[in-house]
């Protein structure tokens, strides 16, 4: 009996020791393992501010509601109806029928710029029109009159007569527009009513012609067929451009669109209203193409500005003291880094306007006031040829002290029969020595628009430097 009690006691004691050991050691380690959790990542704001980066204020996003409300009703749909010759069929030829005419419809957009109904659009939208109509955003339709147009800037001016004041867009300053600035394109793509797209100004003074004759605003706002002639406006709803072209292999928008700057468009329509045509102010300098072999050899590809290669005789530039070799840096505080910067700004000016030209000469900065010249002082159109005075360099090349140079010949008869083309020099007409285009202007005034029937003899120097005399019968 005593042995049994001893065994029971030992067993109980062993159980107590085992349970105590489990509670004190094993169960504590298990609870620690359960409470351990994976370490959470620690986020640090990149701007090192203590604010909550997940909260973005609505004010940080640009809102175009106000600009859209100001502009959509002032952008119109433009319909151009033109009569074109239908292709001749075999039946037409067999029965001796004359070539028939058919109506061809073209569409685009336009921008109302005054309450009395003046509308800007693109020249290519209304080219060849027999009739023009515009449709307002409220679907009212009006016949439009073509007041005038300018092919070089691709701007046309229309007028409608409404019985109430029309909504219109005010002009902004396109020179003040900045790369990266938000803009809206408002137009009628795909014959829809006014449509708004948004983007930024990607570049300024873009030239698409390769002749340094254009100065477009480039934007990435979506522009599609039908947007031509529509408005490019800033966040305040001010007109900064007239949408004109896109770069695309498909005919639809792929990311690049171009607008005529509003300062150019405004000057063109003001000239059309006041003078009936565009008044161009000429500086009177020829610039060296920075990509030319000569420019590369002279190291002029790396200059910040434009290099004056020649100065036209009797021009405002010559009178102001601008010389060959000068580098033009600014005009009226507008930075000039390429020719399209210069030509774009000058398109906003008229003859007799004075511009301040900042140049570098011999590492010295000078600012010269230049009075812009009239186009007919520097070039003149005669018998459908564009002529200009000979530069000193050309006189030396041809060993001649007088004559005028042909810039462009659009007279097919003179081209085909006499071979006259650009670079030809006209030395005399009807035995009258031609010293300058002032002599051409005198002949033009004497003979009027029918000069060709009075011209019987022309003296020339051809491209090879050979003298030629032609008698016209």
């Amino acid at each position: 009996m005593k042995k049994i009690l001893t065994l029971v006691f030992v067993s109980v004691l062993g159980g107590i020791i085992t349970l105590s050991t489990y509670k004190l050691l094993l169960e504590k380690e298990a609870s620690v393992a359960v409470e351990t959790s994976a370490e959470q990542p620690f986020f640090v704001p990149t701007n090192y501010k203590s604010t909550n980066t997940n909260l973005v204020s609505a004010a940080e996003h640009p809102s175009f509601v106000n600009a859209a409300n100001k502009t959509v009703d002032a952008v119109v749909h433009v319909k151009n109806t033109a009569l074109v010759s239908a292709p001749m069929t075999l039946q037409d030829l067999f029965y001796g029928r004359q070539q028939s005419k058919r109506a061809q419809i073209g569409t685009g957009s336009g921008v109302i710029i005054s309450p009395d109904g003046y509308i800007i659009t693109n020249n290519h939208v209304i080219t060849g029109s027999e009739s023009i109509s515009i449709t307002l955003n409220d679907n009212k339709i009006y016949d439009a009159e073509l007041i005038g147009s300018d092919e070089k800037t691709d701007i046309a001016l229309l007028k409608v007569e409404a019985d109430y004041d029309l909504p219109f867009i005010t002009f902004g300053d396109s020179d003040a527009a900045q790369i990266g600035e938000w803009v809206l394109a408002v137009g009628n793509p795909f014959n829809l009513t006014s449509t708004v797209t948004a983007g930024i100004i990607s570049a300024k003074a873009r030239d698409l012609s390769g002749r340094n004759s254009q100065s477009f605003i480039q934007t990435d706002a979506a522009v599609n067929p039908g947007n031509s002639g529509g408005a490019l406006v800033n966040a305040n709803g001010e007109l900064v451009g007239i949408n004109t072209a896109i770069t695309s292999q498909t005919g639809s928008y792929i990311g690049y669109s171009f607008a005529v700057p509003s300062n150019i468009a405004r000057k063109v329509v003001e000239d059309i209203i006041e003078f009936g045509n565009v008044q161009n102010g000429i500086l009177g300098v020829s610039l060296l193409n920075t990509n030319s072999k000569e420019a590369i050899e002279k190291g002029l590809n790396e200059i910040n500005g434009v290099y004056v290669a020649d100065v036209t005789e009797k021009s405002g530039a010559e009178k102001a003291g601008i010389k060959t070799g000068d580098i033009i840096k600014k005009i009226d505080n507008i930075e000039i880094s390429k020719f399209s910067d210069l030509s774009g700004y000058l398109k906003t000016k008229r003859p007799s306007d004075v511009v301040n030209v900042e140049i570098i000469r011999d590492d010295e900065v000078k600012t010269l006031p230049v009075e812009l010249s009239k186009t007919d002082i520097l070039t003149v159109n005669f018998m459908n040829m564009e002529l200009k005075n000979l530069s000193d360099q050309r006189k030396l090349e041809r060993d001649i002290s007088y004559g005028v140079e042909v810039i462009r010949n659009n007279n097919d008869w003179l081209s085909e029969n006499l071979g006259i083309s650009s670079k030809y020099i006209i030395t005399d007409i009807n035995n009258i020595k031609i010293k300058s285009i002032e002599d051409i202007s005198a002949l033009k005034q004497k003979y009027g628009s029918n000069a060709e029937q009075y011209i019987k003899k022309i003296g020339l120097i051809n491209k090879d430097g050979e003298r030629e005399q032609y008698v016209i019968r």
Side-chain angles (χ1 to χ4, degrees), residues 55-321:
L55 299 178
V56 179
S57 171
E60 295 179 15
H61 294 285
S63 173
F64 303 116
V65 175
N66 185 46
N69 287 336
K70 284 183 177 181
T71 56
V72 289
D73 291 327
V75 175
V76 301
H77 176 72
V78 178
K79 184 171 75 171
N80 162 22
T81 303
L83 294 179
V84 298
S85 298
M88 294 287 286
T89 65
L90 290 176
Q91 287 183 332
D92 292 332
L93 294 173
F94 182 80
Y95 290 107
R97 293 194 292 248
Q98 294 184 349
Q99 198 170 24
S100 60
K101 299 282 187 178
R102 62 182 178 85
Q104 185 179 65
I105 305 297
T107 61
S109 301
V111 183
I112 304 174
I113 57 170
S114 67
D116 56 348
Y118 280 106
I119 298 171
I120 295 181
T121 187
N122 283 139
N123 177 69
H124 74 259
V125 170
I126 52 83
T127 298
S129 61
E130 290 289 328
S131 63
I132 303 171
S133 66
I134 66 103
T135 304
L136 301 182
N137 200 36
D138 61 5
N139 294 320
K140 290 184 179 179
I141 300 175
Y142 293 93
D143 291 330
E145 176 189 1
L146 176 61
I147 302 300
S149 63
D150 180 56
E151 184 177 357
K152 290 183 179 179
T153 56
D154 201 9
I155 292 295
L157 181 65
L158 310 177
K159 180 74 163 61
V160 297
E161 299 295 339
D163 52 4
Y164 62 96
D165 286 348
L166 296 175
F168 65 96
I169 301 178
T170 58
F171 281 97
D173 183 0
S174 55
D175 287 336
Q178 300 181 41
I179 296 174
E181 179 179 342
W182 282 99
V183 286
L184 297 182
V186 189
N188 284 272
F190 311 116
N191 293 339
L192 302 172
T193 55
S194 292
T195 299
V196 177
T197 55
I200 62 169
I201 293 176
S202 307
K204 297 176 67 177
R206 284 289 198 219
D207 173 48
L208 307 181
S209 68
R211 299 187 299 271
N212 293 316
S213 59
Q214 300 171 331
S215 185
F216 288 121
I217 294 174
Q218 179 183 326
T219 174
D220 65 353
V223 171
N224 282 290
N227 266 113
S228 287
L232 187 72
V233 301
N234 59 23
N236 295 321
E238 298 169 330
L239 187 67
V240 294
I242 301 296
N243 296 316
T244 298
I246 59 176
T247 295
S248 173
Q249 295 178 339
T250 65
S252 295
Y253 171 79
I254 59 169
Y256 301 99
S257 55
F258 303 90
V260 177
S262 61
N263 287 1
I264 294 177
R266 182 175 188 171
K267 188 260 182 182
V268 168
V269 298
E270 287 176 349
D271 281 357
I272 289 173
I273 292 172
E274 185 173 354
F275 304 103
N277 55 28
V278 178
Q279 305 289 301
N280 293 312
I282 303 297
L283 189 64
V285 297
S286 298
L287 305 178
L288 189 64
N289 186 347
T290 54
N291 294 321
S292 67
K293 181 180 179 181
E294 182 182 358
I296 295 173
E297 289 175 350
K298 290 183 176 182
L300 299 175
N301 267 18
E302 299 178 3
I303 66 169
N304 185 15
V306 292
Y307 180 86
V308 177
D310 194 16
V311 180
T312 305
E313 186 179 355
K314 297 182 181 179
S315 67
E318 183 192 55
K319 294 175 183 178

Side-chain angles (χ1 to χ4, degrees), residues 406-417:
V406 178
I407 301 174
R408 190 178 296 105
N409 180 19
N410 296 319
N411 188 314
D412 292 337
W413 191 91
L414 291 176
S415 177
E416 294 170 5
N417 292 278

Side-chain angles (χ1 to χ4, degrees), residues 290 303-306 328-330 334-342:
T290 54
I303 66 169
N304 185 15
V306 292
I328 298 177
K329 297 281 291 180
K330 293 181 181 179
I334 300 296
E335 297 281 349
I336 304 297
S337 60
K338 53 187 179 296
F339 185 76
S340 54
D341 292 328
L342 177 64

